[in-house]
Structures are given as C-alpha cells and as structure tokens.
Amino acid sequence: MADISKIQIESGVYDIKDETAREDIEALQIPRNFFKDRKFILIGDSYAVGEDGSGGYVTSWEQLFIDYTGIASANVIKKAQGGAGFCKLGDNRKFQTMLEEVTASNDITDIIVLGGYNDRSFNETQIQTAINEFKNSAATRFSNAKIHVGFIGCCKIGANKIAVSNCIRNYKQSCDY
C-alpha cells in the first residue's frame, strides 16, 4: 500500500509531509481551533487500518488525520476493516455496517469515508445504491453531520487499472447524484 501524503482542500492539493505545503495550508487562515468543537466518524478500508499490502503496517490515514488536524482523539470515532467498501465483499463489512455500529448522535459534525479500491468489481448502479443507502442512514442517525466521501486506491496494471478508473468515476457520479 502506498504511503498517504497528499490532501485536498477546496481546489488545492497539498503534500502534508512537505513543510512548505504545511505552511501553505496554514496560510489558508484556518484557525488553529477550527477542529476543536467538531466530532468525526472516520470510516475506511485497509488504508484506514494502515495495512501496507505486504503484511506490514504504516500510519493509517485515520491516524494522520488526527495527527495533522490536532483534533482530540476523544472527538473521533474510527471504524476500519481491510477489504471493506460501500458494497459487500465476502466476509468484509460494508461501510454502512461500520456506521451502524456507532451510536446515533446529533453531536457528530462530520462523517469521512475514504476507500474505493475494494468496490472496483461493482457497477455504477450497485455503488450508487450503496452510497445512497449510506447517506440516508447517516442523515437519519447523525442529523447534524456533513458526509465527505473520497476515493483511495490505485492499480498500475491491466484489468484492475481499468476497474479502478471506472470505480473512481462511479464514486464521483454516485456522490453527485
């Protein structure tokens, strides 16, 4: 698995490991206490667990989020399982199942879901249905939360490369819908 080092804020992409990029982010005038009163649910797959694809581990995107935002760990609920996605894959949980494991609360301000590679074998309708079900469940159980969905995953060879490209498009179209 690749080391996660870039984040997107509005129209800019920043290398969070680069000191100059971190200074650029600070220049966006985001107050240091911006995240202080926010409460997050972070949901993901192996990238959220920190699996590196070869049996080892790296720092997960969930932990990097906490480290770089400075948010108190008490304000974050982390849910992750390798192989998970919006659509069901064998014994792996769906993102919606992980969301349902969290007690409903109006205190949650943001739900961030990053994944995608594991949904590459599903079509647009299946992904759109699953994302819509997730959105409806989140809106009912966490009425004050904004939902943020992002795609993580890549493949450089053959059919998987095409499947990942299609899945990225399906995620975007499903979220737009």
Side-chain angles (χ1 to χ4, degrees):
M1 174 173 34
D3 187 18
I4 300 167
S5 63
K6 293 188 168 64
I7 62 170
Q8 181 172 349
I9 299 175
E10 301 205 6
S11 62
V13 176
Y14 300 91
D15 181 347
I16 58 179
K17 291 185 174 182
D18 177 68
E19 186 174 339
T20 302
R22 288 194 307 270
E23 290 169 3
D24 289 346
I25 292 170
E26 288 177 16
L28 292 174
Q29 308 245 337
I30 298 173
R32 292 212 179 267
N33 63 354
F34 177 79
F35 295 102
K36 181 179 155 242
D37 296 323
R38 302 184 76 80
K39 296 191 182 209
F40 292 84
I41 299 173
L42 307 179
I43 297 176
D45 55 14
S46 59
Y47 292 98
V49 173
E51 296 172 0
D52 73 0
S54 65
Y57 288 88
V58 296
T59 305
S60 71
W61 72 258
E62 290 181 335
Q63 189 58 50
L64 289 171
F65 176 83
I66 292 167
D67 293 347
Y68 285 108
T69 61
I71 192 165
S73 58
N75 290 346
V76 178
I77 298 168
K78 299 189 298 184
K79 291 294 199 174
Q81 179 184 6
F86 279 107
C87 301
K88 179 81 173 134
L89 288 166
D91 294 333
N92 297 312
R93 295 181 296 170
K94 290 171 57 173
F95 292 149
Q96 173 145 349
T97 305
M98 291 183 216
L99 181 71
E100 291 169 355
E101 293 169 355
V102 179
T103 303
S105 169
N106 290 332
D107 293 338
I108 300 297
T109 59
D110 299 87
I111 300 169
I112 300 174
V113 183
L114 295 179
Y117 182 81
N118 300 315
D119 286 327
R120 70 192 180 282
S121 62
F122 294 92
N123 66 40
E124 180 181 356
T125 301
Q126 292 168 308
I127 291 171
Q128 186 176 81
T129 299
I131 287 177
N132 194 49
E133 288 172 355
F134 182 94
K135 179 195 73 85
N136 290 337
S137 177
T140 300
R141 301 181 68 242
F142 307 97
S143 60
N144 294 324
K146 288 185 178 182
I147 302 167
H148 312 272
V149 175
F151 189 95
I152 296 180
C154 70
C155 186
K156 296 179 182 178
I157 54 173
N160 269 341
K161 181 177 180 179
I162 293 168
V164 167
S165 295
N166 289 337
C167 192
I168 292 168
R169 186 190 73 245
N170 291 339
Y171 261 50
K172 181 179 181 336
Q173 289 174 340
S174 296
C175 290
D176 288 346
Y177 172 76

